[in-house]
Amino acid sequence: MRWAVVLVMSMTLGAATVPDLAELNRMIARFAPAELKVNTSALSAGDKQALQKLIEAARVIDDIFLSQRWSGNAGLRARLQEDTSELGKARLHYFDLNKGPWSELDGQIAFLSGVPPRKPLGANFYPEDMSKDEFETWAAKLPAAHQEQARGFFTVIRRGADKELTAVPYSKAYAQDLERAAKLLEEAASLTSNATLKDFLKVRAQAFRTDDYYASDVAWMKLDAPIDVTIGPYETYNDELLGYKAAFEAYVTLRDEQETAKMKNFADHIQEIENNLPLDAKYKNAKLGALAPIRVVNEVLATGDGAHGVRTAAFNLPNDERIVRAMGSKRVMLKNVQEAKFSKILQPIAARVLSAADQKDLSFDSFFTHILAHEMTHGIGPQANVRQSLKELHAAIEEAKADVTGLFMLQYLFDHKLLPAAERPLYTTFLASSFRTLRFGVHEAHGKGMAMQVNYLTDKGAFVAKVDGTFAVDFTKIKGAVRDLVHDLLEVEATGDYARAKKMLDELGVIRPAMARALDKLKDLPTDIEPIRPAS
Ligand code: ZN
């Protein structure tokens, strides 16, 4: 009934801009459904029960996030559920993919009528009619402690009956849901026998009631358990107005024991890799500092801010600078999400950019091992003042460095029999995956850095654009070319040579004709995945 009212309104609000069923189905098809595989069989009986509690808690977090994103979300979703027509079902489906009525892949424009044409910049963290100026003028007049609260991660700003702004702590704004989630965490804590998980869940439950997340972030850094869980208010991207407010998210995951062992092997040899980098000895670190911990996990369920639009495959937390200074941060890699993206996106890309023979070398194991090597090699090579000297070029150079130094590292491990050699899959998979990055253009750091690598390796004859439109690796040249590129990028970083970095990116960080023709053929392939949980 209320849905009908919204429909009538849409006629007057410009129905022409709202996608019809066919268009909506095209928008939905950009997310390929993919089942996330998880094996819970190794969990203890207590952990299996704890896992169910954590899944329930994650669902509560999803409700909180939905209301954080827009005040109208809960009501709108309930109305969409009542409409059982094909169009109604497609609208609900796309709403759930975006956690709101705005399409993220299309710059947050509305795909339903009767809602703001674009996602409000301040989401539901502030009154929708509040401007940045009003906030700043109000906040500036507050006593210091209150000012800190107003700008803090864990308060929402509301307008009182007197029209005055006021800061409301999350523990009050979402009191009912947070108390429910806290109880579920405490129940899970009593079911698991792992001490670090027990500790994290208990102190995180307290944080939900007190808004003081410090102790539980420390406990999260120390978490070392078969069940790995990240749950709470974290990233501030949803606050596009001021960037202050943290959105709730949850990742309920299981630790991947096999990859954890692989990481340990890498860590054991990382100083040796540093010592053997193709770089003048005077720039090398004789003794590397402790590397940031990396955890490889498989996602059971992600909710809230961790589950909309393009899906998260890795994250770095916590954001609390006091903890990052004292104990660093932790990187969590979601292996089965990467696997789903590999099979639903990278394989179809490879089918169009590689020859039939080379497609046989495409390998998820190589793909994922290279991602891990990429992450590890961020921690080696020149570190001091690199960001400051390379300024806005730093991200593109550093990401390219991690890509090729990751290749170099794996080649070193192959050559020294420290890892089973898999050269053909490694380089061929890397070549195919470069197109996955290039699809998004060269306007941001990853794409620009990737185009630079592909063109550099092509100019050295290591990548070859063939007349039939496919690409291939020349295995007689690839190792030398990668070594040269590693050398050049590390030297740019060591010397902080901004002009040289700019020249490399300007000349090589571009889409050349052969690449453009290949990218053209990829337009109809899915952009990302829609995770499907196996029926349990
Ligand atoms: Zn990186």
Side-chain angles (χ1 to χ4, degrees), residues 194-383:
N194 181 286
T196 62
L197 180 59
K198 227 182 239 301
D199 185 40
F200 168 67
L201 294 174
K202 281 192 210 157
V203 284
R204 178 57 40 128
Q206 266 322 99
F208 284 171
R209 297 177 178 121
T210 60
D211 304 293
D212 182 357
Y213 285 86
Y214 186 86
S216 55
D217 276 347
V218 170
W220 183 82
M221 285 298 292
K222 294 179 178 163
L223 181 59
D224 189 7
I227 299 178
D228 201 291
V229 60
T230 302
I231 186 165
Y234 288 104
E235 308 289 357
T236 57
Y237 306 117
N238 282 276
D239 177 0
E240 296 174 89
L241 188 69
L242 292 153
Y244 293 145
K245 306 301 175 190
F248 276 88
E249 64 185 354
Y251 297 92
V252 180
T253 71
L254 302 186
R255 185 171 63 192
D256 190 304
E257 306 297 347
Q258 189 193 333
E259 299 298 335
T260 302
K262 196 190 279 173
M263 293 300 307
K264 188 173 179 312
N265 181 29
F266 288 180
D268 288 346
H269 295 102
I270 200 74
Q271 181 70 55
E272 191 180 336
I273 308 286
E274 170 81 23
N275 299 345
N276 285 282
L277 286 172
L279 179 69
D280 195 301
K282 68 175 181 248
Y283 298 129
K284 289 185 193 173
N285 305 298
K287 189 162 177 4
L288 288 170
L291 298 182
I294 299 176
R295 289 265 187 281
V296 180
V297 301
N298 289 297
E299 178 180 307
V300 178
L301 178 68
T303 63
D305 197 26
H308 59 94
V310 171
R311 304 299 290 237
T312 304
F315 55 85
N316 246 358
L317 286 173
N319 292 327
D320 188 328
E321 283 166 21
R322 293 170 300 169
I323 294 172
V324 176
R325 272 197 302 275
M327 54 199 312
S329 64
K330 186 164 84 181
R331 184 139 182 94
V332 179
M333 320 279 298
L334 303 163
K335 184 186 175 190
N336 60 348
V337 176
Q338 296 278 15
E339 197 164 7
K341 294 191 187 215
F342 176 87
S343 67
K344 297 295 173 181
I345 299 154
L346 186 51
Q347 276 184 323
I349 288 176
R352 296 185 191 181
V353 300
L354 298 180
S355 71
D358 286 352
Q359 282 167 47
K360 293 194 189 73
D361 287 325
L362 202 69
S363 148
F364 173 68
D365 192 51
S366 288
F367 176 73
F368 191 70
T369 305
H370 179 251
I371 292 176
L372 296 181
H374 169 115
E375 293 305 331
M376 298 281 305
T377 52
H378 273 309
I380 64 173
Q383 305 284 328

Side-chain angles (χ1 to χ4, degrees), residues 385-396:
N385 299 319
V386 179
R387 189 183 298 272
Q388 293 86 332
S389 342
L390 298 181
K391 302 186 190 73
E392 83 284 2
L393 309 177
H394 174 257

